[in-house]
Amino acid sequence: METPLIEFRGITKSFGDRTILDGIDLKIYRGQISTLIGKSGTGKSVLLKHIIGLLSPDAGSILFEGRPIEEMSKKELEDYKSRISYMFQHNALFDSMTVFENVALPLQQTTNLKQKEIRSQVMDRIEQMELADVVHRYPSELSGGMQKRVALARALVTNPEIVLFDEPTTGQDPIRRNSILTMIARYRKKFGFTALLISHDIPDIFFISDRILLLWKGKIAFQGTYEESTTLDHPMIDEFLHSLEGFHDELTGLLSKQAFRMRYDSIMKPRQKAKTFTAIVFRLELDLLCQIMGSELAYKSFRTLGEFISTHMDNQGGFSARQSMDQILTILPHTEIDEARNMLDVFARGLNSLLVCSNQDGPDDGKQEACGFEINVYAGITESVSNEDIEKILIRAKAVEKVIAQYRCVTRRELQSEKV
Amino acid sequence: MQTSAQNSILLSPFQYLGKQALITVNSLGAVTIFFYKSFILIFRPKQVTGILRQVYHIGATSSNIVMLVGLFTGMVLGLQLYYAMVKFGSEGVLGSVLALSLFRELGPVLTAIMVTARAGSSMTAEIGIQRITEQIDALQTMRIDPLRYLVSPRIAASIISFPLLTAFFNLIGLLGGYVTGVLLLGVNSGAYFNRIQSSLVMSDITGGIIKSLIFGAIVSTICCYQGYFTHMREESSGARSVSISTTTAVVLSCVLILISDYIVTSFYI
């Protein structure tokens, strides 16, 4: 079995007579995104600060690659800390320094690199984070999203193996929230770090997390995948997890994953086993769209897709929910597959005309040259029988998906000629 | 029952005094350790740029205000001493008295108080804001020692700047005395400078410099300490705690300047 990258064994921490962490046992695996969730004030940040060494446990042991950190020599401890970065909830950028100086500081102060080399590494990170235009600006002159990117650039400039994110999306609207989470997932893929997040943003966080850790009354009450959490019968899951998830997905306006499952079960369970229904999976090339147009505009497009699905499918008795970062599943319980195909054709024609942007409302600033691209919207349609597992339906529908519409960005002149 | 109440009333002043004494001793110990740790870190690598930046901030940018205060201190001393001395017919020793007052006492003390008000308060506010906005925690997570990066350069720069600013203050103070004593009130110019030269000895100058070195260390340590531990204040938090820390730093520095001035002077006389 794989050795966890970081493991907590019986970690206890009290402040005065208040016990915050009461025998925490958890495991974080290399290369994964793990998300720590829990009520406010239950010690999530305290737990995170133990990993970076800002706090020490009263009892218990923290293991890094199987080795207790309290047994490490000073040099080994320094080496361990050098492999971890921490991104603060409110970014903690140095407000009297420019973006460049902020990102360069860890290299200037903790390495013996030459100025030229530092400059090149910092500029690499800044360009990767799409911050080249604001390199000489101060943090107060940047938008919230840009400040997050600067904080991430600073956290990643030392090439850490582990990045700890303390509520990176708190206080953001659904679009910005999803774009920050996508940014984390995208850079995790690009740089290969292990991530541990604290977040309350359910269900958005589930789409990028490999593992969920639930902190409950000073202990880790659950650790595993989202799917495992849905099958767990524990009052804490109902009381906390499902209450946070709510009934609607704020980004798309569709049902939340949990509400979708409940609706699916309530409709399918009373039906005869042999009775068929139709399922459609929609997928937008969101990653590509993010790269070309910027994540905020990409998520606006995704929201548009969600709203359009809701408008067309709900009046047929259908219900839909986001199943992953870029996929929406629609169940049409009373529709035969042929009828659904006709519906999909009409839907696709409408969507095609909706997903055209001109230079004016198209890509973000600095991405105007990107006009002329085409990004596909896919749909896969399949027939299913009552009570079939949703995961199986998804796989089958995805296997037959094809392009139904294209997100096009055309120049203003092209748009006018199309209208004529 | 009554006896126990009486005992508690009788004991309460002692309990209060004991508690205050413990707090004072604890704080004194904490400040001393804070100074010691920060002072040692001055000699670590990568400190030169930070120290030079702080010398500019604490020293260079304070020089104008210090010289202005020095000029008017010299002028007012010239006036006051002249009117006191002329009563005894000894106005010729104006230069001596003025120089000794400035070099031994007023130069180091007034310079330290001026720099406390100008640069000391900004040290506390800057470090305090960095503390409450988690910038100091961020430094720790990046393996940058906040004492080395934020505090040591300020202490080093103060120890360098205070004697230099005091020297400026003294020089300009002498010129101020010259303006009122010689140019306005008619003391002989030669006698003024001759008296300065003959009465000032090296120990007067070194005594003043030693005082300013000590004041530099005290002011920078107190101001940085107050800012660094802003978050530990029990009576307030956030911006309010920064404002209280800044006020406390300035008041405490001024009081400690005067107390330490007395102690150092008593050793030097």
Side-chain angles (χ1 to χ4, degrees), chain A residues 52 54 78 81-82 84 86 88 92-95 97 105-106 108-112 154, chain B residues 44-47 126 129-130 133-144 148-149:
Chain A
I52 193 91
L54 284 175
E78 273 294 294
K81 286 185 182 174
S82 72
I84 307 175
Y86 192 102
F88 286 79
L93 294 172
F94 303 109
D95 44 18
M97 292 183 186
L105 189 72
Q108 284 168 342
Q109 293 294 323
T110 61
T111 67
N112 291 320
R154 189 179 69 180
Chain B
R44 284 284 177 88
K46 298 180 188 281
Q47 288 289 61
E126 196 175 333
I129 288 170
Q130 288 185 317
T133 54
E134 295 182 311
Q135 292 177 44
I136 292 181
D137 288 340
L139 285 174
Q140 281 177 306
T141 63
M142 289 186 253
R143 293 183 302 125
I144 302 170
R148 180 185 71 74
Y149 184 69

mmCIF file of all heavy atoms in Angstrom, chain A residues 52 54 78 81-82 84 86 88 92-95 97 105-106 108-112 154, chain B residues 44-47 126 129-130 133-144 148-149:
data_model
loop_
_atom_site.group_PDB
_atom_site.id
_atom_site.type_symbol
_atom_site.label_atom_id
_atom_site.label_comp_id
_atom_site.label_asym_id
_atom_site.label_seq_id
_atom_site.Cartn_x
_atom_site.Cartn_y
_atom_site.Cartn_z
ATOM 1 N N ILE A 52 2.707 23.006 8.249
ATOM 2 C CA ILE A 52 3.789 23.917 7.847
ATOM 3 C C ILE A 52 4.699 24.268 9.025
ATOM 4 O O ILE A 52 5.747 24.879 8.859
ATOM 5 C CB ILE A 52 3.199 25.195 7.184
ATOM 6 C CG1 ILE A 52 4.251 26.048 6.461
ATOM 7 C CG2 ILE A 52 2.439 26.057 8.167
ATOM 8 C CD1 ILE A 52 4.415 25.684 5.047
ATOM 9 N N LEU A 54 3.761 26.134 11.731
ATOM 10 C CA LEU A 54 3.416 27.368 12.438
ATOM 11 C C LEU A 54 2.883 27.046 13.838
ATOM 12 O O LEU A 54 2.921 27.881 14.716
ATOM 13 C CB LEU A 54 2.359 28.173 11.662
ATOM 14 C CG LEU A 54 2.834 28.935 10.423
ATOM 15 C CD1 LEU A 54 1.667 29.583 9.706
ATOM 16 C CD2 LEU A 54 3.871 29.984 10.774
ATOM 17 N N GLU A 78 14.318 21.724 7.937
ATOM 18 C CA GLU A 78 14.391 22.837 6.978
ATOM 19 C C GLU A 78 14.050 22.335 5.577
ATOM 20 O O GLU A 78 13.311 22.970 4.827
ATOM 21 C CB GLU A 78 15.816 23.427 6.965
ATOM 22 C CG GLU A 78 16.047 24.493 8.003
ATOM 23 C CD GLU A 78 15.222 25.743 7.755
ATOM 24 O OE1 GLU A 78 15.461 26.409 6.752
ATOM 25 O OE2 GLU A 78 14.311 26.021 8.565
ATOM 26 N N LYS A 81 10.355 21.674 5.331
ATOM 27 C CA LYS A 81 9.583 22.910 5.197
ATOM 28 C C LYS A 81 9.760 23.543 3.824
ATOM 29 O O LYS A 81 8.855 24.198 3.308
ATOM 30 C CB LYS A 81 9.976 23.904 6.288
ATOM 31 C CG LYS A 81 9.431 23.529 7.657
ATOM 32 C CD LYS A 81 9.745 24.599 8.673
ATOM 33 C CE LYS A 81 9.244 24.189 10.039
ATOM 34 N NZ LYS A 81 9.648 25.141 11.081
ATOM 35 N N SER A 82 10.946 23.335 3.245
ATOM 36 C CA SER A 82 11.195 23.933 1.927
ATOM 37 C C SER A 82 10.341 23.268 0.850
ATOM 38 O O SER A 82 10.212 23.782 -0.255
ATOM 39 C CB SER A 82 12.677 23.815 1.569
ATOM 40 O OG SER A 82 12.972 22.465 1.266
ATOM 41 N N ILE A 84 7.163 22.628 1.219
ATOM 42 C CA ILE A 84 5.758 22.995 1.433
ATOM 43 C C ILE A 84 5.547 24.491 1.206
ATOM 44 O O ILE A 84 6.389 25.310 1.573
ATOM 45 C CB ILE A 84 5.322 22.664 2.879
ATOM 46 C CG1 ILE A 84 5.640 21.213 3.207
ATOM 47 C CG2 ILE A 84 3.840 22.920 3.069
ATOM 48 C CD1 ILE A 84 5.358 20.827 4.631
ATOM 49 N N TYR A 86 2.354 27.618 1.443
ATOM 50 C CA TYR A 86 1.079 27.880 2.114
ATOM 51 C C TYR A 86 0.432 29.071 1.439
ATOM 52 O O TYR A 86 1.067 30.111 1.289
ATOM 53 C CB TYR A 86 1.369 28.191 3.584
ATOM 54 C CG TYR A 86 0.173 28.201 4.503
ATOM 55 C CD1 TYR A 86 -0.092 27.124 5.332
ATOM 56 C CD2 TYR A 86 -0.675 29.298 4.566
ATOM 57 C CE1 TYR A 86 -1.167 27.131 6.206
ATOM 58 C CE2 TYR A 86 -1.754 29.316 5.427
ATOM 59 C CZ TYR A 86 -1.994 28.228 6.245
ATOM 60 O OH TYR A 86 -3.052 28.241 7.104
ATOM 61 N N PHE A 88 -2.450 31.712 1.878
ATOM 62 C CA PHE A 88 -3.343 32.188 2.943
ATOM 63 C C PHE A 88 -4.728 32.553 2.395
ATOM 64 O O PHE A 88 -4.870 32.931 1.231
ATOM 65 C CB PHE A 88 -2.730 33.416 3.629
ATOM 66 C CG PHE A 88 -1.588 33.068 4.533
ATOM 67 C CD1 PHE A 88 -0.321 32.815 4.020
ATOM 68 C CD2 PHE A 88 -1.768 32.969 5.893
ATOM 69 C CE1 PHE A 88 0.736 32.489 4.840
ATOM 70 C CE2 PHE A 88 -0.722 32.628 6.727
ATOM 71 C CZ PHE A 88 0.528 32.388 6.204
ATOM 72 N N ALA A 92 -2.247 37.267 2.088
ATOM 73 C CA ALA A 92 -1.066 37.714 2.846
ATOM 74 C C ALA A 92 0.053 38.191 1.929
ATOM 75 O O ALA A 92 1.232 37.895 2.150
ATOM 76 C CB ALA A 92 -0.574 36.601 3.794
ATOM 77 N N LEU A 93 -0.305 38.934 0.895
ATOM 78 C CA LEU A 93 0.717 39.509 0.015
ATOM 79 C C LEU A 93 1.358 40.698 0.728
ATOM 80 O O LEU A 93 0.704 41.356 1.535
ATOM 81 C CB LEU A 93 0.081 39.972 -1.296
ATOM 82 C CG LEU A 93 -0.489 38.863 -2.182
ATOM 83 C CD1 LEU A 93 -1.254 39.454 -3.353
ATOM 84 C CD2 LEU A 93 0.611 37.944 -2.682
ATOM 85 N N PHE A 94 2.610 40.969 0.410
ATOM 86 C CA PHE A 94 3.282 42.113 1.028
ATOM 87 C C PHE A 94 2.829 43.372 0.298
ATOM 88 O O PHE A 94 3.193 43.603 -0.858
ATOM 89 C CB PHE A 94 4.800 41.930 0.971
ATOM 90 C CG PHE A 94 5.237 40.660 1.638
ATOM 91 C CD1 PHE A 94 5.706 39.584 0.912
ATOM 92 C CD2 PHE A 94 5.114 40.517 3.007
ATOM 93 C CE1 PHE A 94 6.054 38.404 1.531
ATOM 94 C CE2 PHE A 94 5.456 39.340 3.634
ATOM 95 C CZ PHE A 94 5.928 38.286 2.910
ATOM 96 N N ASP A 95 2.022 44.164 0.996
ATOM 97 C CA ASP A 95 1.338 45.261 0.306
ATOM 98 C C ASP A 95 2.246 46.409 -0.090
ATOM 99 O O ASP A 95 1.859 47.245 -0.900
ATOM 100 C CB ASP A 95 0.147 45.765 1.137
ATOM 101 C CG ASP A 95 0.481 45.905 2.595
ATOM 102 O OD1 ASP A 95 1.685 45.941 2.912
ATOM 103 O OD2 ASP A 95 -0.441 45.974 3.425
ATOM 104 N N MET A 97 5.097 45.891 -1.537
ATOM 105 C CA MET A 97 5.957 45.368 -2.610
ATOM 106 C C MET A 97 5.144 45.163 -3.877
ATOM 107 O O MET A 97 3.948 44.863 -3.795
ATOM 108 C CB MET A 97 6.534 44.002 -2.219
ATOM 109 C CG MET A 97 7.506 44.039 -1.098
ATOM 110 S SD MET A 97 8.111 42.358 -0.872
ATOM 111 C CE MET A 97 9.076 42.568 0.587
ATOM 112 N N LEU A 105 10.547 37.339 -3.554
ATOM 113 C CA LEU A 105 11.063 37.343 -2.171
ATOM 114 C C LEU A 105 11.548 35.975 -1.652
ATOM 115 O O LEU A 105 12.658 35.886 -1.125
ATOM 116 C CB LEU A 105 10.018 37.937 -1.218
ATOM 117 C CG LEU A 105 10.542 38.181 0.193
ATOM 118 C CD1 LEU A 105 11.513 39.347 0.231
ATOM 119 C CD2 LEU A 105 9.403 38.427 1.158
ATOM 120 N N PRO A 106 10.754 34.894 -1.798
ATOM 121 C CA PRO A 106 11.246 33.608 -1.269
ATOM 122 C C PRO A 106 12.568 33.180 -1.904
ATOM 123 O O PRO A 106 13.429 32.624 -1.214
ATOM 124 C CB PRO A 106 10.137 32.609 -1.631
ATOM 125 C CG PRO A 106 8.960 33.409 -1.997
ATOM 126 C CD PRO A 106 9.422 34.765 -2.398
ATOM 127 N N GLN A 108 14.857 35.241 -3.259
ATOM 128 C CA GLN A 108 15.928 36.158 -2.844
ATOM 129 C C GLN A 108 16.412 35.846 -1.431
ATOM 130 O O GLN A 108 17.598 35.942 -1.146
ATOM 131 C CB GLN A 108 15.413 37.604 -2.871
ATOM 132 C CG GLN A 108 15.309 38.173 -4.276
ATOM 133 C CD GLN A 108 14.534 39.476 -4.313
ATOM 134 O OE1 GLN A 108 13.800 39.814 -3.392
ATOM 135 N NE2 GLN A 108 14.678 40.221 -5.400
ATOM 136 N N GLN A 109 15.486 35.468 -0.567
ATOM 137 C CA GLN A 109 15.844 35.312 0.836
ATOM 138 C C GLN A 109 16.263 33.896 1.225
ATOM 139 O O GLN A 109 16.920 33.736 2.248
ATOM 140 C CB GLN A 109 14.663 35.745 1.717
ATOM 141 C CG GLN A 109 14.357 37.232 1.650
ATOM 142 C CD GLN A 109 15.477 38.092 2.239
ATOM 143 O OE1 GLN A 109 16.105 37.725 3.216
ATOM 144 N NE2 GLN A 109 15.746 39.233 1.611
ATOM 145 N N THR A 110 15.856 32.908 0.458
ATOM 146 C CA THR A 110 16.157 31.536 0.919
ATOM 147 C C THR A 110 17.057 30.748 -0.035
ATOM 148 O O THR A 110 17.331 29.587 0.227
ATOM 149 C CB THR A 110 14.858 30.725 1.136
ATOM 150 O OG1 THR A 110 14.161 30.647 -0.106
ATOM 151 C CG2 THR A 110 13.946 31.355 2.161
ATOM 152 N N THR A 111 17.473 31.376 -1.132
ATOM 153 C CA THR A 111 18.374 30.660 -2.034
ATOM 154 C C THR A 111 19.601 31.523 -2.321
ATOM 155 O O THR A 111 19.618 32.710 -1.990
ATOM 156 C CB THR A 111 17.696 30.340 -3.384
ATOM 157 O OG1 THR A 111 17.457 31.572 -4.072
ATOM 158 C CG2 THR A 111 16.381 29.609 -3.207
ATOM 159 N N ASN A 112 20.588 30.912 -2.952
ATOM 160 C CA ASN A 112 21.775 31.685 -3.320
ATOM 161 C C ASN A 112 21.812 31.931 -4.824
ATOM 162 O O ASN A 112 22.881 32.094 -5.419
ATOM 163 C CB ASN A 112 23.035 30.925 -2.882
ATOM 164 C CG ASN A 112 23.151 30.905 -1.378
ATOM 165 O OD1 ASN A 112 22.875 31.908 -0.712
ATOM 166 N ND2 ASN A 112 23.519 29.764 -0.822
ATOM 167 N N ARG A 154 3.500 33.109 -5.948
ATOM 168 C CA ARG A 154 4.488 33.175 -4.869
ATOM 169 C C ARG A 154 4.623 31.816 -4.180
ATOM 170 O O ARG A 154 5.721 31.392 -3.823
ATOM 171 C CB ARG A 154 4.070 34.239 -3.856
ATOM 172 C CG ARG A 154 5.143 34.529 -2.830
ATOM 173 C CD ARG A 154 4.715 35.607 -1.864
ATOM 174 N NE ARG A 154 3.638 35.160 -0.984
ATOM 175 C CZ ARG A 154 3.086 35.919 -0.041
ATOM 176 N NH1 ARG A 154 3.496 37.161 0.119
ATOM 177 N NH2 ARG A 154 2.121 35.465 0.719
ATOM 178 N N ARG B 44 23.961 37.945 10.041
ATOM 179 C CA ARG B 44 23.668 36.878 9.069
ATOM 180 C C ARG B 44 23.821 37.409 7.639
ATOM 181 O O ARG B 44 23.766 38.625 7.429
ATOM 182 C CB ARG B 44 22.236 36.391 9.263
ATOM 183 C CG ARG B 44 22.041 35.502 10.468
ATOM 184 C CD ARG B 44 22.587 34.110 10.156
ATOM 185 N NE ARG B 44 22.482 33.219 11.307
ATOM 186 C CZ ARG B 44 21.412 32.491 11.559
ATOM 187 N NH1 ARG B 44 20.355 32.552 10.760
ATOM 188 N NH2 ARG B 44 21.392 31.681 12.591
ATOM 189 N N PRO B 45 23.970 36.514 6.652
ATOM 190 C CA PRO B 45 24.069 36.978 5.259
ATOM 191 C C PRO B 45 22.775 37.651 4.781
ATOM 192 O O PRO B 45 21.735 37.494 5.414
ATOM 193 C CB PRO B 45 24.313 35.688 4.464
ATOM 194 C CG PRO B 45 24.617 34.639 5.444
ATOM 195 C CD PRO B 45 24.082 35.056 6.761
ATOM 196 N N LYS B 46 22.853 38.342 3.686
ATOM 197 C CA LYS B 46 21.726 39.004 3.009
ATOM 198 C C LYS B 46 21.101 40.116 3.856
ATOM 199 O O LYS B 46 19.910 40.383 3.749
ATOM 200 C CB LYS B 46 20.629 38.000 2.640
ATOM 201 C CG LYS B 46 21.064 36.920 1.674
ATOM 202 C CD LYS B 46 19.902 35.991 1.395
ATOM 203 C CE LYS B 46 20.334 34.792 0.589
ATOM 204 N NZ LYS B 46 20.499 35.025 -0.820
ATOM 205 N N GLN B 47 21.886 40.744 4.720
ATOM 206 C CA GLN B 47 21.312 41.777 5.583
ATOM 207 C C GLN B 47 21.671 43.193 5.115
ATOM 208 O O GLN B 47 21.013 44.144 5.517
ATOM 209 C CB GLN B 47 21.811 41.598 7.029
ATOM 210 C CG GLN B 47 21.223 40.399 7.750
ATOM 211 C CD GLN B 47 19.761 40.583 8.104
ATOM 212 O OE1 GLN B 47 18.917 40.749 7.227
ATOM 213 N NE2 GLN B 47 19.455 40.566 9.371
ATOM 214 N N GLU B 126 4.135 49.730 10.891
ATOM 215 C CA GLU B 126 4.396 48.881 9.718
ATOM 216 C C GLU B 126 4.446 47.394 10.114
ATOM 217 O O GLU B 126 3.775 46.556 9.503
ATOM 218 C CB GLU B 126 5.717 49.304 9.077
ATOM 219 C CG GLU B 126 5.903 48.771 7.675
ATOM 220 C CD GLU B 126 7.167 49.294 7.021
ATOM 221 O OE1 GLU B 126 7.625 50.395 7.370
ATOM 222 O OE2 GLU B 126 7.696 48.575 6.153
ATOM 223 N N ILE B 129 0.965 46.164 11.258
ATOM 224 C CA ILE B 129 0.036 45.871 10.145
ATOM 225 C C ILE B 129 0.453 44.572 9.458
ATOM 226 O O ILE B 129 -0.386 43.739 9.113
ATOM 227 C CB ILE B 129 -0.016 47.059 9.156
ATOM 228 C CG1 ILE B 129 -0.767 48.220 9.816
ATOM 229 C CG2 ILE B 129 -0.712 46.665 7.853
ATOM 230 C CD1 ILE B 129 -0.710 49.514 9.089
ATOM 231 N N GLN B 130 1.754 44.388 9.325
ATOM 232 C CA GLN B 130 2.213 43.129 8.722
ATOM 233 C C GLN B 130 1.808 41.930 9.579
ATOM 234 O O GLN B 130 1.529 40.860 9.065
ATOM 235 C CB GLN B 130 3.727 43.163 8.533
ATOM 236 C CG GLN B 130 4.122 44.113 7.400
ATOM 237 C CD GLN B 130 5.592 44.068 7.109
ATOM 238 O OE1 GLN B 130 6.411 44.051 8.005
ATOM 239 N NE2 GLN B 130 5.941 44.048 5.842
ATOM 240 N N THR B 133 -2.127 41.358 9.215
ATOM 241 C CA THR B 133 -2.550 40.908 7.882
ATOM 242 C C THR B 133 -1.838 39.605 7.480
ATOM 243 O O THR B 133 -1.780 39.268 6.295
ATOM 244 C CB THR B 133 -2.289 41.985 6.806
ATOM 245 O OG1 THR B 133 -0.910 42.364 6.892
ATOM 246 C CG2 THR B 133 -3.171 43.195 6.999
ATOM 247 N N GLU B 134 -1.290 38.912 8.438
ATOM 248 C CA GLU B 134 -0.652 37.598 8.254
ATOM 249 C C GLU B 134 0.603 37.642 7.388
ATOM 250 O O GLU B 134 1.089 36.602 6.950
ATOM 251 C CB GLU B 134 -1.631 36.579 7.649
ATOM 252 C CG GLU B 134 -2.806 36.240 8.558
ATOM 253 C CD GLU B 134 -3.715 35.191 7.956
ATOM 254 O OE1 GLU B 134 -4.085 35.359 6.789
ATOM 255 O OE2 GLU B 134 -4.052 34.217 8.651
ATOM 256 N N GLN B 135 1.140 38.852 7.132
ATOM 257 C CA GLN B 135 2.346 38.918 6.304
ATOM 258 C C GLN B 135 3.534 38.301 7.043
ATOM 259 O O GLN B 135 4.420 37.722 6.414
ATOM 260 C CB GLN B 135 2.642 40.366 5.919
ATOM 261 C CG GLN B 135 1.609 40.954 4.968
ATOM 262 C CD GLN B 135 1.857 42.412 4.654
ATOM 263 O OE1 GLN B 135 2.970 42.832 4.403
ATOM 264 N NE2 GLN B 135 0.806 43.202 4.680
ATOM 265 N N ILE B 136 3.531 38.432 8.374
ATOM 266 C CA ILE B 136 4.641 37.847 9.148
ATOM 267 C C ILE B 136 4.525 36.318 9.145
ATOM 268 O O ILE B 136 5.524 35.609 8.996
ATOM 269 C CB ILE B 136 4.672 38.432 10.580
ATOM 270 C CG1 ILE B 136 5.070 39.913 10.486
ATOM 271 C CG2 ILE B 136 5.625 37.657 11.484
ATOM 272 C CD1 ILE B 136 5.170 40.650 11.796
ATOM 273 N N ASP B 137 3.285 35.820 9.237
ATOM 274 C CA ASP B 137 3.085 34.366 9.132
ATOM 275 C C ASP B 137 3.536 33.879 7.762
ATOM 276 O O ASP B 137 4.131 32.807 7.631
ATOM 277 C CB ASP B 137 1.604 34.012 9.321
ATOM 278 C CG ASP B 137 1.169 34.194 10.767
ATOM 279 O OD1 ASP B 137 2.049 34.206 11.642
ATOM 280 O OD2 ASP B 137 -0.039 34.345 11.012
ATOM 281 N N ALA B 138 3.232 34.690 6.747
ATOM 282 C CA ALA B 138 3.628 34.308 5.379
ATOM 283 C C ALA B 138 5.149 34.194 5.286
ATOM 284 O O ALA B 138 5.670 33.273 4.648
ATOM 285 C CB ALA B 138 3.110 35.326 4.373
ATOM 286 N N LEU B 139 5.863 35.111 5.931
ATOM 287 C CA LEU B 139 7.334 35.034 5.922
ATOM 288 C C LEU B 139 7.786 33.714 6.546
ATOM 289 O O LEU B 139 8.670 33.040 6.011
ATOM 290 C CB LEU B 139 7.928 36.189 6.724
ATOM 291 C CG LEU B 139 7.911 37.571 6.076
ATOM 292 C CD1 LEU B 139 8.397 38.614 7.068
ATOM 293 C CD2 LEU B 139 8.787 37.611 4.838
ATOM 294 N N GLN B 140 7.147 33.357 7.650
ATOM 295 C CA GLN B 140 7.533 32.102 8.322
ATOM 296 C C GLN B 140 7.277 30.893 7.442
ATOM 297 O O GLN B 140 8.095 29.981 7.398
ATOM 298 C CB GLN B 140 6.774 31.963 9.641
ATOM 299 C CG GLN B 140 7.398 32.816 10.731
ATOM 300 C CD GLN B 140 6.617 32.757 12.014
ATOM 301 O OE1 GLN B 140 5.422 33.013 12.023
ATOM 302 N NE2 GLN B 140 7.281 32.448 13.103
ATOM 303 N N THR B 141 6.149 30.909 6.732
ATOM 304 C CA THR B 141 5.873 29.762 5.863
ATOM 305 C C THR B 141 6.861 29.687 4.702
ATOM 306 O O THR B 141 7.052 28.635 4.123
ATOM 307 C CB THR B 141 4.441 29.796 5.281
ATOM 308 O OG1 THR B 141 4.314 30.946 4.453
ATOM 309 C CG2 THR B 141 3.387 29.810 6.357
ATOM 310 N N MET B 142 7.483 30.847 4.379
ATOM 311 C CA MET B 142 8.485 30.839 3.294
ATOM 312 C C MET B 142 9.893 30.600 3.835
ATOM 313 O O MET B 142 10.865 30.797 3.135
ATOM 314 C CB MET B 142 8.452 32.181 2.570
ATOM 315 C CG MET B 142 7.239 32.401 1.728
ATOM 316 S SD MET B 142 7.429 33.929 0.816
ATOM 317 C CE MET B 142 6.318 34.968 1.652
ATOM 318 N N ARG B 143 9.961 30.239 5.104
ATOM 319 C CA ARG B 143 11.231 29.984 5.789
ATOM 320 C C ARG B 143 12.107 31.234 5.874
ATOM 321 O O ARG B 143 13.326 31.172 5.859
ATOM 322 C CB ARG B 143 12.021 28.858 5.107
ATOM 323 C CG ARG B 143 11.352 27.507 5.216
ATOM 324 C CD ARG B 143 12.181 26.424 4.598
ATOM 325 N NE ARG B 143 12.449 26.703 3.212
ATOM 326 C CZ ARG B 143 13.653 26.758 2.682
ATOM 327 N NH1 ARG B 143 14.713 26.528 3.414
ATOM 328 N NH2 ARG B 143 13.826 27.034 1.406
ATOM 329 N N ILE B 144 11.450 32.395 5.924
ATOM 330 C CA ILE B 144 12.200 33.637 6.134
ATOM 331 C C ILE B 144 11.953 34.035 7.589
ATOM 332 O O ILE B 144 10.805 34.229 7.988
ATOM 333 C CB ILE B 144 11.706 34.748 5.186
ATOM 334 C CG1 ILE B 144 11.839 34.302 3.723
ATOM 335 C CG2 ILE B 144 12.453 36.039 5.432
ATOM 336 C CD1 ILE B 144 11.165 35.222 2.731
ATOM 337 N N ARG B 148 14.925 38.239 11.515
ATOM 338 C CA ARG B 148 16.072 38.577 10.669
ATOM 339 C C ARG B 148 15.674 39.572 9.585
ATOM 340 O O ARG B 148 16.384 40.538 9.327
ATOM 341 C CB ARG B 148 16.640 37.312 10.005
ATOM 342 C CG ARG B 148 17.835 37.605 9.103
ATOM 343 C CD ARG B 148 18.311 36.370 8.363
ATOM 344 N NE ARG B 148 17.405 35.913 7.326
ATOM 345 C CZ ARG B 148 17.242 36.508 6.148
ATOM 346 N NH1 ARG B 148 17.912 37.604 5.858
ATOM 347 N NH2 ARG B 148 16.409 36.017 5.258
ATOM 348 N N TYR B 149 14.511 39.332 8.981
ATOM 349 C CA TYR B 149 14.117 40.120 7.820
ATOM 350 C C TYR B 149 13.539 41.492 8.203
ATOM 351 O O TYR B 149 13.797 42.485 7.548
ATOM 352 C CB TYR B 149 13.093 39.322 7.001
ATOM 353 C CG TYR B 149 12.675 39.999 5.724
ATOM 354 C CD1 TYR B 149 13.570 40.129 4.666
ATOM 355 C CD2 TYR B 149 11.397 40.517 5.579
ATOM 356 C CE1 TYR B 149 13.193 40.756 3.499
ATOM 357 C CE2 TYR B 149 11.011 41.143 4.417
ATOM 358 C CZ TYR B 149 11.916 41.263 3.376
ATOM 359 O OH TYR B 149 11.542 41.893 2.219
#
